[in-house]
Amino acid sequence: MWDPAKYLDYSDLRARPFGDLIGRIPDTAARRVVDLGCGPGNLTVDLAKRWPGAVIEASDSSPEMVDAARSRGVDAHVLDVRDWEPRPDTGVVVSNAVLQWVPGHQDLLRRWVGQLPAGAFLAVQVPGNFGAPSHRITRELAGSPAWSSRLGTLVLREDDAVATPHAYADLLADEGCAVDAWETTYMQRLSGERAVLEWITGTALRPIRAALGDADWAAFREQLAPLLDAAYPPRPDGTTWFEFRRIFFVAQTPPRA
């Protein structure tokens, strides 16, 4: 279960990659703009501003996120991203921080490229931080004898959950697309106690939260917090630097025969 309020912690920092992504989509008079994995809808409204004449199609797999998006006036619907199929008038598709949750999403990208009309834009951002200390430490604690029995068959995402910009560029070029692919490491200055723990609670720790009862969840957080603080020591002013790598690409589908 997603918690929209927790996800919106550090909302400005979470929004920055989305802005960088859509900023690289060339100007196009799209009739339909799709937000796959719209979350609480706070960023979907930016798509409506960028393409004011377009139909905005929004969806998310989480009913809680869809409810939050609808409360912002976004006409969002519950949908698994793997089940989405483009309509004939689709001009822009945005998927922001979603596909890292989908094993084998490279095949999904190939299918979308084949189904989208010629000249449509597919813009994707995925976190590339799975090898960072925050995620490595979490995996090590979850796999320890004290927790592996309680977490059962839970599998946390490894560093290969997403590909490199080069690999995505190759995949899309092989499908005939024009591709712009890149990565950015953001130096995020977090505030508050246990800042990194609170950041990953809204995203990376979600599967662990879902697998544990309240008491075990509180105990897991208590054990994880000092490990993260040691890896990401706060500055004297109480803020904490948290490096976060993200991977982007914008692809335009090829002409159709």
Side-chain angles (χ1 to χ4, degrees):
M1 179 182 296
W2 282 95
D3 181 347
K6 174 54 69 175
Y7 184 80
L8 286 171
D9 284 351
Y10 305 112
S11 59
D12 289 347
L13 293 176
R14 295 194 194 278
R16 185 177 174 190
F18 183 88
D20 291 346
L21 176 66
I22 66 171
R24 295 280 276 269
I25 302 172
D27 288 337
T28 180
R31 295 167 56 195
R32 178 179 297 271
V33 175
V34 181
D35 189 358
L36 296 176
C38 65
N42 58 307
L43 301 177
T44 311
V45 297
D46 291 340
L47 298 179
K49 294 174 184 176
R50 171 77 186 272
W51 289 279
V55 173
I56 304 298
E57 177 186 330
S59 61
D60 199 281
S61 63
S62 164
E64 295 80 14
M65 288 293 198
V66 166
D67 287 344
R70 288 176 176 169
S71 73
R72 288 182 166 82
V74 176
D75 184 22
H77 300 274
V78 177
L79 179 71
D80 188 313
V81 68
R82 293 168 291 191
D83 296 328
W84 177 77
E85 294 188 359
R87 300 189 184 187
D89 61 347
T90 302
V92 174
V93 181
V94 177
S95 175
N96 183 61
V98 174
L99 293 184
Q100 75 276 10
W101 297 103
V102 182
H105 58 261
Q106 290 85 348
D107 289 338
L108 195 60
L109 292 170
R110 293 185 184 95
R111 174 162 67 81
W112 289 347
V113 169
Q115 293 174 326
L116 284 165
F121 289 95
L122 174 60
V124 173
Q125 182 269 126
V126 287
N129 228 35
F130 302 111
S134 55
H135 292 63
R136 176 179 50 78
I137 291 168
T138 298
R139 290 193 297 266
E140 290 172 354
L141 180 60
S144 67
W147 289 103
S148 60
S149 59
R150 281 176 273 187
L151 290 170
T153 59
L154 176 69
V155 176
L156 297 178
R157 293 163 298 161
E158 298 285 347
D159 198 24
D160 60 358
V162 300
T164 63
H166 189 161
Y168 286 122
D170 266 348
L171 181 156
L172 294 159
D174 287 346
E175 298 300 312
C177 295
V179 190
D180 178 14
W182 71 100
E183 68 176 69
T184 300
T185 297
Y186 296 90
M187 288 299 300
Q188 300 180 153
R189 195 172 188 176
L190 308 183
S191 59
E193 295 183 1
R194 299 180 169 183
V196 174
L197 175 64
E198 296 305 327
W199 175 279
I200 66 173
T201 292
T203 52
L205 293 186
R206 188 178 65 88
I208 294 175
R209 176 64 186 100
L212 296 176
D214 291 346
D216 280 344
W217 169 240
F220 187 88
R221 279 174 50 92
E222 286 302 313
Q223 291 184 29
L224 183 59
L227 301 175
L228 293 175
D229 285 345
Y232 299 93
R235 288 166 39 84
D237 63 6
T239 62
T240 302
W241 289 115
F242 182 43
E243 293 185 37
F244 205 110
R245 174 176 174 254
R246 294 185 182 268
I247 296 164
F248 304 78
F249 59 83
V250 175
Q252 186 175 26
T253 57
R256 305 302 184 195

